[in-house]
Amino acid sequence: MKSPYTIFMEGSVKDFELVSDDFDAVDFLREPKNFRPFHVGLLELLQKKFPAEKITDAVAASERLSEALRKIDSKLNPKTVRAWFTGEHRPKIEPRSRQPMYEICFALGLTLEEVQWFFHHVYFDRAFNCHSVAEVVFYFSFVHGLSYSESRKIIDEIKAAPASEKISAESDGQIYTQLVKNQISELQTVDELKNFLLQNKNGFRSWNNTALNYVKNFFAEIVGDEEKSRPIVQKIKRLSERRQSGEIELDVEQLNQCGLLMREIFSDARNKKYPRRYDVEKIIDRVSGKNIFSRTFVLDNLLTTFTGIKKDLNVPYVVKNNFPSKKILSDVLDATKASTSEAYDPIRKTLVLFYFYIFRCKVKLGEIDSTLAENYLAEIFIDEMNSLLEECGYESLYAGNPYDWLFLCAVNREDPLDFFRLTVSGLLDDDVQ
């Protein structure tokens, strides 16, 4: 059964004026009470696990959690716990914060489902990265009710032991998240778990491969094949150099050699009365002096920025953190760096952004039936996006996550691409505080 908060958030993506008639999407995102802060979610969890103790304030909550953490021999500083409950700080969404989150889960005796809820709905990150030996052990432990100390003992043994020379034929030297979860779920004993981990130890070296392949392919679809689209690009650049105005007739088959982004730009410049004619000045304004195959050009057109969101802007941390930027995208598209990185928040965010743009751009260009009702198109996008996220081992879209909310809200509007760009532009506005 969904909580009142989840019901409210799912309703807000269709009607963000639930809070106030004067609200727009930027106002909704900037309003702190609309998105459950970490300390509120953590307090809810404590109250659920210890209902008889009537824990209602930050002091009592921090003392109770610190006590539970001491019992499992956690080294988490009580001052850090207090800062979480007062709302002074929240744990960053980054690899080194994941261990303390699991310690909280063990200390509170959470079930597997409660751990997944905590990570997805409170911490806003994926639970159980099964490319990590430690997190595979944690997953097994929550399935079978092992303690934190038992988990640490297994992890230490696996780390100290040499890897098996024989790699599992099923994994073929590469670890896939869903495959691991399926296999771990079938294991019944700790010895079976240890044998599995030792046999596959060499495979726990490359992460995020499925998601990274999608990101790479999506980027290529957005920018297009440079070789194929070069003739039309050179033609446009010559027009730019001459600062030609008026209209030009362009061949549709030639335009279709370009990537989605350039085709959208051409579409915006098309003469509705004479579809083969295009406004030269509108095209030049978008591409003059720019490398249309660059990451900067892509982000600037998808997000109205390529630098990300400044830290001092009044924007939810979950949105600002790892918001797609030129640096983030460069790191994500660097196969060596990204496949060995323990961070997947930037990859997930890039994946969501790219698929949202591709889906909505294809609707705009008529490649997906644009006569379908917007609510039906929204359902199709959400189903396909969640299926893609699940395939990559990531959490599905959640309206309580402000980054996800932005996309869920956009697809429920009449013109999702324009709405999305205007909303991001509004979030970046220094004057709106």
Side-chain angles (χ1 to χ4, degrees):
M1 183 176 177
K2 293 179 180 178
S3 69
Y5 174 76
T6 298
I7 293 171
F8 168 76
M9 293 310 301
E10 289 180 350
S12 71
V13 299
K14 297 180 180 178
D15 182 11
F16 45 74
E17 293 181 346
L18 287 170
V19 177
S20 167
D21 291 340
D22 299 326
F23 260 37
D24 62 13
V26 175
D27 295 326
F28 192 93
L29 281 165
R30 290 182 183 277
E31 177 54 59
K33 69 181 181 182
N34 289 336
F35 295 96
R36 177 169 46 208
F38 178 79
H39 68 279
V40 172
L42 191 56
L43 179 59
E44 287 180 16
L45 194 59
L46 273 175
Q47 292 170 337
K48 180 180 178 181
K49 298 305 292 185
F50 308 111
E53 298 185 25
K54 308 297 181 185
I55 304 169
T56 58
D57 59 81
V59 173
S62 61
E63 288 178 353
R64 186 65 182 87
L65 180 56
S66 293
E67 178 188 354
L69 287 165
R70 281 194 297 272
K71 288 182 179 179
I72 67 164
D73 199 26
S74 167
K75 301 301 186 290
L76 250 176
N77 193 322
K79 290 183 179 179
T80 300
V81 176
R82 281 197 297 274
W84 288 345
F85 278 108
T86 60
E88 183 182 350
H89 298 294
R90 65 148 288 154
K92 292 183 178 180
I93 302 174
E94 60 183 22
R96 63 181 177 180
S97 292
R98 293 179 63 80
Q99 176 68 28
M101 297 305 101
Y102 283 113
E103 290 178 12
I104 290 172
C105 295
F106 276 109
L108 297 180
L110 301 190
T111 64
L112 178 68
E113 291 73 21
E114 287 170 337
V115 174
Q116 292 169 326
W117 177 86
F118 173 67
F119 269 80
H120 192 195
H121 290 224
V122 181
Y123 180 55
F124 295 134
D125 204 359
R126 154 181 149 193
F128 305 116
N129 168 25
C130 286
H131 292 275
S132 158
V133 168
E135 296 199 23
V136 168
V137 174
F138 290 156
Y139 180 72
F140 180 89
S141 298
F142 284 108
V143 170
H144 294 279
L146 272 62
S147 68
Y148 180 62
S149 61
E150 289 173 312
S151 300
R152 291 304 320 173
K153 184 179 179 182
I154 297 169
I155 293 167
D156 290 342
E157 284 184 29
I158 299 302
K159 286 183 177 180
S164 170
E165 293 183 4
K166 180 183 178 182
I167 296 176
S168 169
E170 290 184 347
S171 70
D172 195 26
Q174 192 173 49
I175 299 298
Y176 296 93
T177 298
Q178 198 55 51
L179 172 65
V180 172
K181 282 188 176 180
N182 292 341
Q183 290 179 315
I184 296 302
S185 298
E186 294 176 0
L187 303 180
Q188 297 301 317
T189 68
V190 171
D191 284 340
E192 288 176 338
L193 172 67
K194 290 178 183 178
N195 289 335
F196 171 83
L197 291 173
L198 289 173
Q199 194 173 40
N200 292 280
K201 190 174 180 180
N202 286 327
F204 288 90
R205 294 176 179 174
S206 181
W207 302 358
N208 301 306
N209 291 296
T210 302
L212 291 172
N213 283 332
Y214 274 117
V215 168
K216 179 182 176 181
N217 292 335
F218 288 162
F219 183 78
E221 189 173 359
I222 292 168
V223 299
D225 187 307
E226 189 169 354
E227 197 68 35
K228 291 181 179 179
S229 54
R230 182 173 294 150
I232 188 71
V233 173
Q234 289 175 337
K235 187 174 186 177
I236 296 299
K237 286 188 174 181
R238 285 196 296 272
L239 294 172
S240 174
E241 290 167 1
R242 295 198 295 265
R243 299 304 299 175
Q244 185 173 333
S245 60
E247 291 187 337
I248 184 175
E249 196 165 294
L250 297 172
D251 181 71
V252 174
E253 289 186 11
Q254 195 174 33
L255 294 183
N256 287 339
Q257 296 297 311
C258 295
L260 281 174
L261 181 51
M262 278 304 298
R263 287 162 58 201
E264 185 198 9
I265 291 172
F266 289 130
S267 175
D268 291 340
R270 180 186 291 126
N271 185 319
K272 290 182 173 59
K273 191 174 181 181
Y274 303 102
R276 288 176 62 87
R277 296 181 185 176
Y278 298 81
D279 187 315
V280 173
E281 195 166 355
K282 284 184 178 180
I283 299 172
I284 289 173
D285 285 345
R286 299 281 294 274
V287 305
S288 181
K290 298 172 183 175
N291 176 2
I292 68 167
F293 303 102
S294 70
R295 296 158 189 173
T296 298
F297 184 75
V298 169
L299 290 174
D300 209 20
N301 279 274
L302 268 58
L303 291 169
T304 74
T305 179
F306 56 85
T307 59
I309 299 177
K310 291 191 293 186
K311 292 182 179 180
D312 59 348
L313 281 183
N314 178 26
V315 177
Y317 163 79
V318 177
V319 176
K320 284 188 288 191
N321 186 59
N322 293 319
F323 190 79
S325 65
K326 183 179 178 181
K327 183 184 183 308
I328 291 289
L329 186 52
S330 294
D331 289 346
V332 169
L333 290 174
D334 184 326
T336 302
K337 184 183 293 186
S339 64
T340 56
S341 170
E342 296 181 25
Y344 32 71
D345 184 48
I347 302 173
R348 182 185 182 275
K349 284 182 174 175
T350 304
L351 192 68
V352 172
L353 170 65
F354 281 2
Y355 191 72
F356 164 76
Y357 176 75
I358 288 172
F359 183 90
R360 288 309 317 186
C361 190
K362 286 183 176 180
V363 172
K364 182 175 180 178
L365 297 175
E367 294 182 19
I368 294 176
D369 190 354
S370 58
T371 64
L372 296 172
E374 282 297 338
N375 63 330
Y376 185 57
L377 287 170
E379 289 177 9
I380 294 172
F381 166 77
I382 293 168
D383 287 345
E384 291 183 359
M385 186 76 257
N386 285 338
S387 177
L388 177 62
L389 289 169
E390 182 180 356
E391 181 184 349
C392 295
Y394 298 156
E395 300 290 355
S396 59
L397 295 174
Y398 170 52
N401 178 328
Y403 184 81
D404 291 0
W405 185 91
L406 179 56
F407 293 91
L408 290 168
C409 187
V411 296
N412 280 286
R413 305 276 82 76
E414 188 172 336
D415 192 337
L417 283 178
D418 279 355
F419 176 88
F420 177 78
R421 286 163 171 151
L422 286 170
T423 302
V424 173
S425 180
L427 286 173
L428 297 171
D429 190 351
D430 282 302
D431 294 330
V432 184
Q433 295 291 332

